């Protein structure tokens, strides 16, 4: 809303900017103008004949250009009378400053002289020397002669005379101000009209959320199209504003005699830039075609490699050193290497690859990759170890420390597990290789999965009965195999109880938690039915009589515990 309210005052702002340009530009352009008017050559001037051969001083000096009212008058290139070109320019400016308005129409003459034994030509204003030209001031690279230099200099001085008269013509100033105000009003109209046209187009194309008030959410595709359309429309609008402002500035500067060279410089700059961009675009076509060919060949190589890896993964082909479990990771690595090679070959042919901006971006990306890739490289290398060791694969039920679950995906940086509680867990590869991993699915490939649980029963319960009850509970749980048959082992004879371990088998390792829960339920039911206490006794005093197990049948109920003081 602020942007909209501000746009209503754009005509006033641009009008103020135009008046500022009208007031500042001519004054700024006159900073290099002497107090008096510049002199100009008369229509007729004496022809000067000088020796054609002249050897300039051997010492290399920087040329300096005499400028008046943003116009080049002459360029000094030689050292004359001990003064370098810059000093000669300052001396010529000082002489021009001493001239008065009455000197504008005085005739300009050329006088041949000899200075330091070298021929030269003085440009004088009825006896007042303005500056001197020598053969050393000639631009030898362009094939220019001293006579050509004199003719060009006198023509420029004539243009300065005409500019001085125009600068003191009030009618031309009024005319320039009128056209500048008209151009400013036209610019304000273009900006105002463009802004409102953009708003209407946005409303017409539905780029604004019309359905927001109704609570209707647009689809993702439409939202993306609207966002792209809005960005393109904004770019078109601001590009139009920039071009209109550039044309307006050149027109306003060209409306006044003093600032006309600035307007010409703006036009020439835009023309030269456009020609340079067009020429660069045409010259870069062969390089762009080379880049396209390289990228197409790279894509073809990636597709060919992908076809080979797919055939291996599907089991149709057998290639040494390629395993079905690791072919997916090998394919990703090969794809990265092929694309890296293709981009490295195509990079030198990209337009602007040798520019400093391109080099700066390359250094910036390299620095960011170096500083931020320490953890990334660690995870990637750990992933290679996990994948190529073939310790895990999709569908395996594994345990890693306190984490257990079914492997859903083996990525380049992490492994995704689905826990028995239905939760999806992401485990970095660096964590997996830092601790032992128990693979319940592949620990006995092609065989049943071992399931174990532990009970501690007092010494007064016959071990034969305990074995029978535990095996009976295992046989009654759906999902546990009868072959191999469940087996019970006595792992330890502790101070107050015996530690029993039940081992049974299943073909569903991913259902391990559910099967253990059912097994524990059946153990409680079977032991309760047999009258055998599962709680382990802990004696604090010596029992009145020895705690011994009676010889009873394993299926018969066990007698009550012997007397004694114990803590369950």
């Amino acid at each position: 809303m602020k942007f909209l309210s501000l746009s209503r005052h754009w005509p006033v702002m641009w009008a103020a900017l135009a008046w500022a340009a009208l007031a500042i530009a001519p004054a700024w352009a006159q900073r290099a103008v002497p107090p008096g008017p510049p002199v100009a050559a008369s229509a007729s001037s004496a022809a000067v004949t000088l020796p054609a051969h002249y050897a300039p001083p051997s010492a290399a000096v920087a040329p300096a250009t005499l400028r008046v009212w943003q116009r080049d008058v002459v360029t000094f290139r030689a050292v004359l009378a001990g003064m370098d070109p810059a000093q000669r320019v300052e001396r010529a400016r000082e002489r021009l400053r001493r001239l008065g308005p009455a000197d504008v129409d005085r005739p300009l003459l050329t006088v041949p002289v000899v200075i330091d034994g070298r021929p030269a030509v003085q440009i004088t204003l009825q006896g007042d020397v303005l500056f001197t030209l020598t053969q050393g001031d000639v631009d030898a690279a362009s094939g220019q002669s001293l006579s050509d230099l004199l003719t060009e200099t006198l023509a420029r001085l004539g243009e300065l005379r005409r500019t001085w008269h125009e600068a003191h013509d009030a009618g031309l100033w009024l005319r320039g101000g009128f056209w500048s105000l008209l151009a400013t009003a036209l610019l304000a109209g273009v900006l105002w009209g463009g802004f409102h046209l953009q708003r209407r187009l946005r409303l017409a194309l539905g780029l604004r959320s019309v359905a927001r008030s109704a609570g209707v959410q647009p689809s993702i595709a439409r939202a993306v199209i609207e966002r792209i359309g809005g960005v393109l429309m904004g770019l078109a609008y601001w590009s139009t504003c920039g071009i209109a402002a550039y044309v307006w500035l050149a027109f306003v500067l060209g409306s006044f005699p003093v600032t006309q060279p600035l307007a010409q410089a703006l036009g020439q700059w835009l023309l030269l830039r456009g020609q340079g961009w067009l020429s660069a675009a045409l010259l870069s076509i062969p390089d762009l075609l080379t880049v396209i060919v390289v990228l197409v060949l790279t894509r073809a190589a990636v597709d060919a490699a992908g076809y080979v890896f797919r055939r291996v993964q599907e089991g149709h082909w057998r290639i040494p050193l390629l395993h079905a479990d690791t072919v997916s990771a090998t394919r990703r690595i090969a794809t990265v290497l092929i694309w890296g090679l293709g981009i490295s070959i195509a990079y030198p042919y990209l337009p602007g690859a040798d520019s400093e901006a391109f080099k700066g971006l390359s250094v910036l990306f390299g620095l960011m990759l170096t500083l931020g890739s320490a953890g990334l490289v660690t995870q990637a290398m750990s992933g290679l170890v996990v994948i190529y060791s073939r310790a895990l694969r999709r569908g395996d039920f594994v345990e890693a420390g306190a984490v257990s679950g079914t492997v859903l995906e083996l990525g380049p940086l992490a492994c995704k597990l689905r826990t028995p509680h239905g939760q999806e867990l992401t485990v970095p590869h660096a964590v997996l290789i830092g601790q032992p991993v128990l693979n319940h699915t592949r620990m006995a490939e092609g065989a049943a999965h071992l399931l174990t649980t532990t009970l501690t029963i007092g010494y007064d319960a016959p071990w034969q009965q305990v074995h029978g009850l535990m095996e009976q509970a295992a046989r009654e749980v759906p999902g546990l195999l009868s072959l191999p048959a469940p087996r019970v082992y006595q792992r330890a004879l502790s101070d107050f109880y015996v530690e029993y371990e039940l081992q049974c088998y299943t073909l569903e390792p991913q259902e391990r938690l559910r099967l253990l829960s059912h097994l524990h339920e059946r153990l409680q039911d079977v032991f309760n039915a047999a009258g055998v206490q599962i709680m382990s006794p802990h004696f604090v005093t010596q029992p009145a009589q020895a705690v011994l197990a009676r010889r009873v049948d394993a299926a018969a109920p066990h007698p009550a515990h012997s007397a004694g003081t114990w803590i369950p």
Side-chain angles (χ1 to χ4, degrees):
M1 296 301 296
K2 294 182 179 179
F3 178 79
L4 181 59
S5 61
L6 182 62
S7 64
R8 299 175 181 174
H9 303 284
W10 279 7
V12 179
M13 295 173 59
W14 282 108
L17 181 60
W19 280 110
L22 295 178
I24 296 175
W28 175 75
Q30 286 181 339
R31 290 185 301 174
V33 181
V39 297
S42 58
S44 61
S45 58
V48 180
T49 304
L50 295 175
H53 175 71
Y54 171 71
S58 58
V61 293
T65 301
L66 175 63
R67 294 176 60 86
V68 178
W69 281 344
Q70 309 303 318
R71 291 167 171 82
D72 294 342
V73 178
V74 66
T75 300
F76 299 123
R77 294 181 173 84
V79 177
L80 184 64
M83 294 186 297
D84 58 19
Q87 294 172 338
R88 292 173 63 188
V89 168
E90 291 299 326
R91 186 171 182 178
R93 287 177 178 171
E94 182 63 27
R95 289 174 177 175
L96 290 174
R97 291 191 186 99
R98 293 198 297 264
L99 299 178
D103 300 325
V104 175
D105 296 324
R106 290 169 57 187
L108 191 67
L109 303 176
T110 56
V111 180
V113 295
V114 177
I115 300 178
D116 296 336
R118 294 179 293 174
V121 178
Q122 289 182 341
I123 298 180
T124 64
L125 193 63
Q126 286 187 342
D128 294 335
V129 179
L130 298 180
F131 50 83
T132 304
L133 297 178
T134 67
Q135 186 68 27
D137 296 323
V138 174
D139 187 6
S142 62
Q144 186 184 46
S145 64
L146 183 57
S147 298
D148 296 336
L149 178 60
L150 288 173
T151 303
E152 182 180 350
T153 303
L154 293 176
R156 292 177 178 179
L157 289 174
E159 184 182 353
L160 284 178
R161 167 182 282 181
R162 183 173 60 257
T163 303
W164 185 87
H165 285 292
E166 292 176 351
H168 290 76
D169 188 350
L172 291 178
W173 280 94
L174 292 176
R175 186 184 307 169
F178 171 76
W179 287 111
S180 298
L181 288 177
L182 186 60
T184 303
L186 181 61
L187 175 65
V190 170
L191 297 179
W192 181 85
F195 177 75
H196 286 277
L197 178 61
Q198 180 190 206
R199 288 187 59 195
R200 290 182 178 275
L201 289 176
R202 286 178 179 272
L203 292 175
L205 297 177
L207 297 180
R208 292 198 171 196
S209 183
V210 180
R212 184 180 303 170
S213 59
V216 179
Q217 296 296 331
S219 62
I220 297 177
R222 181 177 178 182
V224 171
I225 293 175
E226 291 177 357
R227 180 61 60 86
I228 295 176
V231 171
L232 293 178
M233 197 169 297
L235 289 176
Y237 171 70
W238 287 110
S239 300
T240 304
C241 292
I243 295 174
Y246 191 91
V247 174
W248 169 84
L249 181 61
F251 180 82
V252 170
L253 293 177
S255 300
F256 302 95
V258 178
T259 56
Q260 284 179 354
L262 297 177
Q264 295 174 359
L266 286 176
Q268 292 176 357
W269 179 87
L270 184 60
L271 181 61
L272 291 176
R273 284 291 181 181
Q275 292 177 349
W277 292 336
L278 180 60
S279 177
L282 294 177
L283 292 176
S284 62
I285 290 178
D287 292 339
L288 290 176
L289 292 177
T290 303
V291 171
I292 293 174
V293 170
V294 170
L295 294 182
V296 168
L297 293 178
T298 303
R299 176 67 182 181
V302 170
D303 291 342
Y307 175 77
V308 173
F309 289 128
R310 272 197 312 273
R311 300 294 290 179
V312 173
Q313 189 172 17
E314 293 171 358
H316 299 290
W317 293 355
R318 292 181 178 272
I319 299 178
L321 303 180
L322 284 182
H323 194 274
D325 294 339
T326 61
V327 69
S328 179
T330 307
R331 177 182 180 180
R332 288 195 293 263
I333 295 174
T335 301
V336 171
L337 292 178
I338 293 174
W339 275 113
L341 179 61
I343 294 175
S344 300
I345 296 175
Y347 176 82
Y349 297 97
L350 292 175
D354 296 333
S355 63
E356 296 299 328
F358 231 107
K359 296 178 181 178
L361 288 176
S362 301
V363 173
L364 177 62
F365 289 148
L367 180 62
M368 294 173 58
L369 185 62
T370 301
L371 296 179
S373 62
L376 184 66
V377 171
T378 300
Q379 297 295 341
M381 297 305 295
S382 302
L384 293 179
V385 173
V386 172
I387 293 173
Y388 281 96
S389 64
R390 292 187 286 166
L392 307 176
R393 65 183 178 187
R394 185 177 301 178
D396 289 354
F397 186 84
V398 298
E399 287 187 29
V403 178
S404 63
T406 304
V407 178
L408 297 179
E409 181 182 351
L410 272 177
L413 302 178
C415 173
K416 289 187 178 181
L417 304 177
R418 183 178 298 278
T419 65
H421 301 285
Q423 301 170 336
E424 185 173 306
L425 186 64
T426 301
V427 183
H429 287 313
V431 176
L432 290 178
I433 67 173
Q435 56 187 341
V437 177
L438 179 60
N439 192 328
H440 293 282
T441 303
R442 300 181 63 186
M443 58 188 295
E445 192 71 33
H449 167 65
L450 178 65
L451 199 66
T452 63
T453 188
T454 302
L455 284 179
T456 54
I457 306 297
Y459 284 99
D460 55 347
W463 64 265
Q464 297 91 342
Q465 184 183 18
V466 174
H467 283 208
L469 294 175
M470 295 181 70
E471 293 172 357
Q472 177 186 349
R475 287 191 296 269
E476 295 177 357
V477 175
L480 296 182
L481 300 178
S482 57
L483 291 176
R487 301 184 64 180
V488 178
Y489 296 91
Q490 298 185 21
R491 297 188 56 180
L493 299 178
S494 302
D495 292 339
F496 309 114
Y497 49 79
V498 180
E499 183 176 348
Y500 299 92
E501 181 179 285
L502 172 63
Q503 295 184 357
C504 47
Y505 298 89
T506 179
L507 296 178
E508 305 175 60
Q510 66 275 9
E511 300 293 334
R512 181 172 179 273
L513 183 61
R514 180 183 63 83
L515 294 175
L516 279 177
S517 176
H518 290 339
L519 179 60
H520 293 160
E521 294 171 359
R522 292 306 303 152
L523 285 172
Q524 296 178 64
D525 294 340
V526 171
F527 274 75
N528 289 336
V532 179
Q533 180 176 268
I534 295 180
M535 288 191 302
S536 304
H538 287 69
F539 294 94
V540 294
T541 61
Q542 181 65 29
Q545 56 184 355
V547 180
L548 300 174
R550 298 181 180 179
R551 288 187 173 275
V552 295
D553 183 62
H558 193 273
H561 291 281
S562 59
T565 305
W566 57 279
I567 300 176

